[in-house]
Amino acid sequence: MNPSIPASSSGLSPRRTFLKQTAVATAAIAGSRYLRFSEASAATAPASATKPWFLRATRWMQTNIAELDNTRYDIPWWRAQWARTKTQGIVVNAGGIVAFYPTQIPFHPKAQFLGDRDLFGDLSKAARADGVAVFARMDSNGAPEETYQAHPEWFTLNTQTGRPFADRGLSIPCINGAYYREHIPAILKEIAEKYKPEGFTDNIWSGLPRANICYCDNCVKKFRADRGLDLPQQANWDEPAYRAWIEWGYACRLEIWDLFNKTTRTAGGPDCLWVGMNGVSIAGAAGEFRDYREICKRTEILMIDNQRRVDTTGFQSNGVGGRLVHGLLGWDKLAPESMALYQTASENFRVASKPEPEVRLWALDGIAAGIQPWWHYINAYQEDRRMYETPVPLGQWHQQHEEFLVNRTPVATVGIVYSQRNNDFFGRQDAEAQVNSPQRGFTEALLHARIPYILVHADDLDRDAAQLKLLILPNLGTMTDAHIASVRKFVQNGGGLIASGATSLCDQWGDPRADLALGDLFGVHLPANHYLRNEASRRQSAAQSTQTYLRLTPELRAQVDGPHPAGEPAAVGTRHEVLRGFEHTDIIPFGGSVAELSLDPTVQVLLTLVPNRPTAPPEMIWTQNDHTSLPGLILNERAGFGRVVYLAADLDRRYARDNIADTEHLLINLVRWAAKDDIPLKIDGPGLLDSHLYQQPGRALVHLVNLSNTNAWRGPVEELIPVGPLKISVRLPNGVSGKSLRLLVSNQKPALSLANGWASFELPSILDHELAVIE
Ligand SMILES: [Zn+2]
């Protein structure tokens, strides 16, 4: 039943190699007293033994157990797989929907084919013997019909059907009933006491998503007791009961987080953490009522379930995710991410191998952003054996260079500000267009420009803005008075600001204020009838897609190109530097709309709207009304303040949606200007790179991921394409002398030159990624 493995460099047949490794592993287990990971590792690695397990286990693996695996789980084989992938922790199915151990808890059915076997226990023992940490994996969010029939009060209630809400063919229990509050804790206690795993994860732990309101008796009573209100009848963001229900929904899930942690730490010891599982987007967290910032405050390690890229957001979304979670969690903590080794497409082929380059680039874009690998198999036995090989080279490289991959602090001067509350109360039912797309427009532009940046939660503005030169507020409609005070202070101290759309218009509930609260900084004020004041109009405007343009001012047609476009610009001095690169055009594509604004005398308007015209037939593609004064881009420069940009035209959202190169170019120009070009990393050369600059004591790290590969626009990548040479310059952080340079992927040592506090070198070529260490 052993899976076969391709030949290794040892010369032994794969089967013999693994028999040999298995024999060693079996000998180890026979002499073991089943140490916990912390104890076993302490014996072999004294230098790192002072760190708890959740700071040391940086490479994870999960064989997501199917019930049939009870008959075929070859533990010796998997121990060898842990060893050659340098795995330090595993996620093992324990209980919840079904138990993979002999449970005593009623309504906790044993998995089919388990028989007298204790699969979870056997795997835990094997892991202990190998010094591998164990997360007991739960799934708390589904139970079969028998359980519902016996305990209907444990379940959610859909008043439309009189039945529980259902998912995956199972009924969904309510987080406010005894299933979540007593039954699952009993299982956690049983497992923690019996097996002492390092911790617990949970596939789905937060109950019913926000899209539905549970009307079970527990929710009715608890909402009344907690908030003094009846449950809302429908989603209505303007209704006080619904607003209260949203806040309460988050609070109830945090109660679950705290209850489960108290349970596991009481039964399994203070480091027996319960950490759930979370996605890596604020929109996703909001949809599940998971308060990402509060969760990160509560946890010592974050287990991320975000298994693959999608064509619309690319590999780079993993790098954005790393910046997001570490911005909240701290860069000294670990955030392993479940990475699918199976084929993911419109249909998930769960037992077929994904091409290695596709897995590799997804993993690397996360690793470069501080994420740790957590290789994910479905089923303990694979007929498509190629996926066994996929994590081996990266796992080994990761182990070799681990000290350069964790506990590194980002060096950046640009921060993009967001908040979960903005996603909820401003984004409401249109968060993709109102919140996510504007943010993604900027993260994509910064990716293309190779400008390092961090993501800043609005509640952390005062802490994070201290190192920054520029704050970007992409349609950050909902801002509290405290957020506004923080941004105001930043700009008054000389920091740059780029804001778009409704930024600062709305209060914490998403209700519009009398004016943009940061309007004095923008030099922009909203007239009483402006469309941004109204949610429905905002939505309509965001959805608009017409053939509008933006006119660059002043026009250069006469000065530059003359009647026939040709040659170099003759006179470009009259345009602002943020319009550099557009000398041969007076318009750029837009697609949206803008309206009248009230402007302060200090501002400059650099783009104005060119109204829509027909797209067909060609005879009718013209308009005589092609000049307006409607402002699209406004700059406000005042003595003593930072440079301020206000985008009335939603170019951030449009860029995320339409990928227009002119829009990208303009956004990059705006960032460089507003940051006074104070960017600590410069990279010249071809390619699309996700670029990170970090520091550790005495060293600077440049971590680059090459995303300019074939199929990078639509998965899966089948082949890696090198780019280079690249000329890289780094402004050395304090305490870094810049005497030596190593490249940890290509193993080269190019010459390093120093001038004016900057270190420069040439990277001849980059295939998948490169990590440059400057000391
Ligand atoms: Zn309920």
Side-chain angles (χ1 to χ4, degrees):
M1 197 57 80
N2 279 321
S4 73
I5 296 280
S8 71
S9 58
S10 71
L12 293 173
S13 75
R15 178 68 185 148
R16 284 189 58 206
T17 305
F18 274 80
L19 284 175
K20 190 177 157 202
Q21 289 175 344
T22 300
V24 173
T26 308
I29 201 171
S32 158
R33 56 184 183 90
Y34 303 142
L35 299 175
R36 292 184 81 160
F37 173 74
S38 48
E39 297 160 354
S41 300
T44 52
S48 60
T50 50
K51 282 189 187 175
W53 68 269
F54 44 81
L55 293 178
R56 280 188 293 123
T58 64
R59 289 172 297 281
W60 289 79
M61 183 174 286
Q62 175 179 13
T63 308
N64 221 329
I65 305 174
E67 291 177 297
L68 186 62
D69 290 333
N70 286 315
T71 67
R72 61 182 183 178
Y73 205 122
D74 185 341
I75 293 177
W77 187 91
W78 281 100
R79 292 177 71 176
Q81 179 74 346
W82 304 337
R84 71 186 193 129
T85 52
K86 309 302 177 189
T87 292
Q88 296 171 297
I90 57 172
V91 179
V92 185
N93 306 55
I97 297 172
V98 293
F100 288 92
Y101 69 97
T103 178
Q104 304 301 314
I105 308 289
F107 300 104
H108 189 211
K110 282 205 295 186
Q112 270 199 77
F113 315 116
L114 184 65
D116 295 330
R117 192 173 184 185
D118 182 353
L119 183 56
F120 176 77
D122 292 344
L123 280 161
S124 297
K125 283 179 188 173
R128 288 283 152 69
D130 293 350
V132 169
V134 174
F135 262 123
R137 175 191 177 277
M138 301 283 295
D139 190 320
S140 298
N141 209 42
E145 183 66 15
E146 306 83 82
T147 310
Y148 170 65
Q149 291 301 334
H151 284 291
E153 77 283 4
W154 283 3
F155 287 83
T156 52
L157 179 60
N158 179 352
T159 47
Q160 305 279 311
T161 62
R163 294 264 313 166
F165 291 93
D167 184 33
R168 305 176 293 170
L170 299 166
S171 294
I172 301 179
C174 180
I175 55 150
N176 291 320
Y179 187 90
Y180 264 88
R181 306 269 169 163
E182 295 170 17
H183 176 68
I184 294 291
I187 297 170
L188 296 174
K189 180 168 181 285
E190 181 180 65
I191 295 169
E193 285 177 345
K194 186 168 178 186
Y195 301 102
K196 305 281 182 196
E198 271 67 27
F200 287 81
T201 63
D202 196 319
N203 188 43
I204 306 181
W205 62 273
S206 51
L208 197 61
R210 189 182 82 185
N212 293 302
I213 300 171
C214 175
Y215 294 99
C216 80
D217 283 350
N218 294 305
C219 284
V220 170
K221 286 178 191 153
K222 188 173 184 337
F223 190 61
R224 201 172 284 144
D226 291 349
R227 304 282 159 155
L229 293 167
D230 289 333
L231 288 167
Q233 290 306 303
Q234 68 270 315
N236 178 353
W237 292 91
D238 293 323
E239 186 196 330
Y242 187 73
R243 292 174 174 186
W245 181 77
I246 292 289
E247 290 190 328
W248 179 76
Y250 281 116
C252 292
R253 272 73 181 181
L254 290 174
E255 288 172 10
I256 293 296
W257 188 283
D258 293 342
L259 170 66
F260 287 0
N261 262 285
K262 189 175 167 210
T263 305
T264 60
R265 294 185 200 215
T266 302
D271 283 351
C272 187
L273 312 179
W274 182 95
V275 304
M277 261 185 225
N278 292 287
V280 78
S281 78
I282 291 298
E288 302 283 346
F289 270 138
R290 299 170 182 175
D291 184 330
Y292 221 117
R293 185 166 179 271
E294 284 300 319
I295 286 170
C296 287
K297 276 191 200 169
R298 283 164 157 79
T299 195
E300 300 295 339
I301 182 171
L302 191 75
M303 298 302 276
I304 305 171
D305 189 358
N306 184 38
Q307 304 195 19
R308 59 157 180 156
R309 62 127 163 193
V310 293
D311 293 331
T312 47
T313 54
F315 294 113
Q316 56 265 38
S317 68
N318 215 12
V320 176
R323 291 168 172 100
L324 172 79
V325 300
H326 284 293
L328 294 171
L329 192 64
W331 290 82
D332 53 340
K333 290 184 181 172
L334 302 180
E337 178 182 76
S338 176
M339 296 169 177
L341 298 170
Y342 50 84
Q343 185 68 257
T344 47
S346 52
E347 177 64 56
N348 284 335
F349 298 96
R350 301 275 227 168
V351 294
S353 296
K354 180 182 284 188
E356 192 271 353
E358 177 75 16
V359 178
R360 170 175 287 264
L361 284 182
W362 176 250
L364 285 174
D365 205 68
I367 289 169
I371 282 171
Q372 287 73 49
W374 157 16
W375 309 113
H376 186 187
Y377 295 96
I378 300 277
N379 287 8
Y381 175 80
Q382 306 294 338
E383 291 181 276
D384 186 341
R385 298 170 295 280
R386 294 169 294 181
M387 72 177 85
Y388 294 136
E389 289 307 300
T390 305
V392 175
L394 257 187
Q396 294 178 352
W397 182 87
H398 194 279
Q399 183 207 33
Q400 193 183 351
H401 300 295
E402 184 180 309
E403 71 167 299
F404 305 101
L405 297 171
V406 295
N407 219 350
R408 47 190 199 177
T409 308
V411 180
T413 50
V414 176
I416 299 178
V417 185
Y418 71 96
S419 79
Q420 193 153 339
R421 200 162 179 108
N422 183 56
N423 184 95
D424 291 338
F425 289 100
F426 177 71
R428 301 188 174 190
Q429 305 306 113
D430 197 30
E432 175 53 37
Q434 301 298 333
V435 177
N436 299 339
S437 294
Q439 177 179 310
R440 193 163 66 250
F442 276 106
T443 59
E444 289 290 324
L446 293 171
L447 171 87
H448 282 262
R450 300 139 173 192
I451 293 175
Y453 67 92
I454 59 172
L455 289 166
V456 179
H457 193 289
D459 290 345
D460 295 323
L461 262 167
D462 286 338
R463 180 195 72 188
D464 291 350
Q467 64 162 310
L468 301 175
K469 305 296 180 191
L470 169 64
L471 292 176
I472 299 173
L473 279 51
N475 206 30
L476 193 68
T478 278
M479 294 179 74
T480 65
D481 292 346
H483 301 156
I484 285 158
S486 297
V487 172
R488 188 180 301 286
K489 188 171 73 181
F490 181 79
V491 177
Q492 284 170 346
N493 288 332
L497 179 66
I498 300 178
S500 60
T503 293
S504 80
L505 177 63
C506 298
D507 65 13
Q508 61 167 330
W509 300 111
D511 293 330
R513 297 181 166 99
D515 191 8
L516 299 167
L518 293 171
D520 59 318
L521 295 185
F522 306 156
V524 172
H525 308 279
L526 287 192
N529 61 349
H530 197 281
Y531 74 92
L532 284 175
R533 292 182 180 281
N534 178 274
E535 185 193 348
S537 310
R538 284 198 299 268
R539 220 168 150 156
Q540 197 178 10
S541 168
Q544 176 190 335
S545 186
T546 54
Q547 200 194 163
T548 59
Y549 297 82
L550 291 164
R551 182 169 303 284
L552 286 69
T553 58
E555 295 169 64
L556 295 179
R557 179 165 52 92
Q559 297 99 303
V560 178
D561 293 325
H564 303 289
E568 288 302 303
V572 295
T574 50
R575 272 197 187 156
H576 195 280
E577 63 181 280
V578 302
L579 301 182
R580 194 173 289 159
F582 294 111
E583 288 77 17
H584 292 287
T585 182
D586 289 336
I587 57 166
I588 55 173
F590 175 34
S593 63
V594 292
E596 266 329 324
L597 293 168
S598 166
L599 303 176
D600 289 347
T602 51
V603 305
Q604 304 176 68
V605 175
L606 300 186
L607 296 174
T608 54
L609 183 75
V610 180
N612 188 30
R613 66 193 69 200
T615 53
E619 290 85 343
M620 295 181 184
I621 305 175
W622 57 274
T623 172
Q624 285 188 310
N625 178 30
D626 62 358
H627 284 69
T628 73
S629 61
L630 295 173
L633 170 64
I634 296 133
L635 269 52
N636 198 17
E637 274 189 276
R638 287 185 296 164
F641 290 78
R643 294 173 172 179
V644 178
V645 175
Y646 176 73
L647 275 168
D650 59 345
L651 290 171
D652 42 8
R653 170 163 48 217
R654 301 277 154 190
Y655 178 51
R657 186 184 297 165
D658 296 332
N659 205 33
I660 288 175
D662 283 341
T663 315
E664 170 201 319
H665 180 82
L666 180 64
L667 291 175
I668 293 169
N669 278 2
L670 293 171
V671 168
R672 290 196 182 282
W673 178 76
K676 298 181 180 167
D677 217 16
D678 190 344
I679 311 291
L681 178 67
K682 293 186 169 69
I683 302 173
D684 295 319
L688 178 66
L689 307 168
D690 203 350
S691 310
H692 300 263
L693 176 60
Y694 297 102
Q695 60 181 323
Q696 290 177 326
R699 60 170 77 115
L701 304 162
V702 181
H703 205 160
L704 307 176
V705 184
N706 179 13
L707 299 180
S708 38
N709 287 281
T710 184
N711 299 117
W713 63 277
R714 187 178 179 202
V717 164
E718 298 162 41
E719 180 186 15
L720 299 176
I721 309 290
V723 298
L726 300 166
K727 185 166 187 292
I728 297 174
S729 298
V730 179
R731 186 166 61 205
L732 291 174
N734 284 338
V736 182
S737 64
K739 286 184 182 136
S740 77
L741 168 68
R742 284 177 287 162
L743 302 179
L744 299 185
V745 179
S746 60
N747 287 316
Q748 294 179 320
K749 291 189 176 180
L752 191 65
S753 63
L754 296 178
N756 305 319
W758 287 73
S760 303
F761 62 97
E762 187 176 280
L763 182 60
S765 176
I766 172 171
L767 181 63
D768 52 353
H769 74 137
E770 187 57 89
L771 177 50
V773 180
I774 302 170
E775 289 172 314

